[in-house]
Amino acid sequence: AQSVTQLGSHVSVSEGALVLLRCNYSSSVPPYLFWYVQYPNQGLQLLLKYTSAATLVKGINGFEAEFKKSETSFHLTKPSAHMSDAAEYFCAVRTYNNNDMRFGAGTRLTVKP
Amino acid sequence: NAGVTQTPKFQVLKTGQSMTLQCAQDMNHEYMSWYRQDPGMGLRLIHYSVGAGITDQGEVPNGYNVSRSTTEDFPLRLLSAAPSQTSVYFCASSKIDRLNTEAFFGQGTRLTVV
């Protein structure tokens, strides 16, 4: 069964610094990978998704992620953090032969002024 | 654009009580699912459905029932609530499509069982 692991339950960066949130996946078939963001007391909002069209995926709010098959990774990055980026971020995986979407444990991003 | 609508937003139950969490979507999505979110555990899949009349179990189905009589609605039933079911519950829907399989989420139901 497919799964994802998010390294680091809590990441803290200064405003303007690089944001790097790590996600590694496990899947025996080509995966579809997603990053979602959750602001306090809200539902999940899609940031970006990988669907095999391109390995570097650009999303909303200046975020991007790169699919690296050799490393089974799909890390999320943003060159310069903004205070409004403070939220919880979830990596998720779905495979084409199984519509289940499985989530990582989440990474809470704190942005310091 | 309503998207995925969950009701209620908040609920407090006593141990042993039953209740139904409602979920409706207006996007004509075939696939619907229920997750629970607990601190440090991400979202865990409870039950899912690939279409009206078809449901299946996810990772943590015990204590929950579902049915899918229409494309739009996918209620989650707790037959006898337990404190371990205190959680935030999310309903999601998506189209069954290899190229566009993102899920759309409701705003969540925060359930406390005392």
Side-chain angles (χ1 to χ4, degrees):
Chain A
Q2 67 273 24
S3 65
V4 291
T5 302
Q6 291 183 241
L7 299 177
S9 60
H10 199 154
V11 171
S12 181
V13 301
S14 297
E15 192 172 19
L18 171 71
V19 175
L20 171 61
L21 305 182
R22 299 176 187 275
C23 172
N24 288 88
Y25 70 90
S26 171
S27 176
S28 58
V29 296
Y32 292 104
L33 295 161
F34 306 82
W35 276 99
Y36 282 86
V37 60
Q38 184 183 34
Y39 298 104
N41 300 315
Q42 294 190 24
L44 277 73
Q45 177 183 358
L46 182 71
L47 268 179
L48 51 81
K49 62 182 179 182
Y50 167 73
T51 56
S52 77
T55 57
L56 182 62
V57 182
K58 294 188 184 298
I60 62 172
N61 301 338
F63 283 93
E64 62 182 37
E66 186 172 8
F67 174 72
K68 292 187 177 181
K69 185 177 179 181
S70 60
E71 299 177 8
T72 62
S73 69
F74 191 56
H75 302 331
L76 182 71
T77 60
K78 182 174 180 178
S80 177
H82 192 273
M83 298 296 291
S84 60
D85 295 326
E88 187 148 23
Y89 293 79
F90 293 94
C91 182
V93 63
R94 169 182 271 165
T95 54
Y96 70 87
N97 62 347
N98 184 338
N99 277 285
D100 291 0
M101 184 173 282
R102 300 300 174 107
F103 286 81
T107 298
R108 183 168 298 278
L109 176 67
T110 301
V111 182
K112 299 175 291 184
Chain B
N1 295 336
V4 179
T5 302
Q6 289 184 237
T7 56
K9 287 187 169 52
F10 302 93
Q11 183 71 48
V12 179
L13 287 180
K14 294 182 178 179
T15 298
Q17 285 185 316
S18 63
M19 81 160 294
T20 299
L21 280 63
Q22 302 291 344
C23 175
Q25 53 94 6
D26 62 359
M27 297 173 282
N28 200 32
H29 286 167
E30 303 92 344
Y31 186 84
M32 296 185 73
S33 54
W34 277 101
Y35 292 87
R36 59 178 289 172
Q37 183 181 20
D38 302 292
M41 304 191 76
L43 279 76
R44 292 181 291 168
L45 184 64
I46 303 172
H47 285 285
Y48 66 94
S49 168
V50 298
I54 306 170
T55 63
D56 207 344
Q57 297 180 349
E59 303 171 78
V60 289
N62 292 341
Y64 307 95
N65 282 350
V66 292
S67 60
R68 183 98 178 266
S69 56
T70 67
T71 299
E72 295 78 19
D73 300 299
F74 190 45
L76 178 72
R77 297 183 187 85
L78 284 71
L79 297 179
S80 179
S84 61
Q85 294 179 304
T86 293
S87 187
V88 181
Y89 292 85
F90 288 99
C91 179
S93 74
S94 63
K95 288 198 69 65
I96 296 178
D97 186 309
R98 294 184 183 189
L99 299 181
N100 182 17
T101 54
E102 71 217 59
F104 294 82
F105 284 81
Q107 292 297 297
T109 295
R110 187 175 295 274
L111 176 67
T112 302
V113 182
V114 297

